Amino acid sequence: MQAKDNLLCKPVKLNLVGLDGNAFSLMGAFRRAAKQQGRTPDEISAVLNECMSGDYDNLLYVLTNHTK
């Protein structure tokens, strides 16, 4: 997974702590924050596709590597 650890140049400012832990809710929060911070649809889709490429632990791993 090393090659895909950093799909975005800069992490999205989003605190995952305290959010609803539902996978779709977390991905929606990421999508909204990334869009507001000027990320392109392709960048956002790349991260979300990587989130969906595995289990819930993978989703958390990917999101924590693309947020700060």
Side-chain angles (χ1 to χ4, degrees):
M1 182 143 22
Q2 288 273 1
K4 295 184 180 180
D5 280 351
N6 197 6
L7 297 171
L8 299 177
C9 294
K10 291 173 32 178
V12 172
K13 293 178 187 172
L14 175 66
N15 187 357
L16 299 173
V17 177
L19 294 179
D20 180 353
N22 177 283
F24 293 106
S25 179
L26 292 172
M27 289 189 295
F30 176 83
R31 180 188 301 273
R32 285 187 298 277
K35 186 175 181 180
Q36 288 174 346
Q37 294 171 38
R39 301 313 189 277
T40 68
D42 288 340
E43 289 175 317
I44 295 168
S45 291
V47 173
L48 294 179
N49 287 337
E50 184 64 22
C51 285
M52 293 184 286
S53 71
D55 60 8
Y56 185 76
D57 288 334
N58 178 68
L59 176 135
L60 293 178
Y61 176 80
V62 172
L63 288 180
T64 56
N65 282 318
H66 290 91
T67 58
K68 82 174 192 182

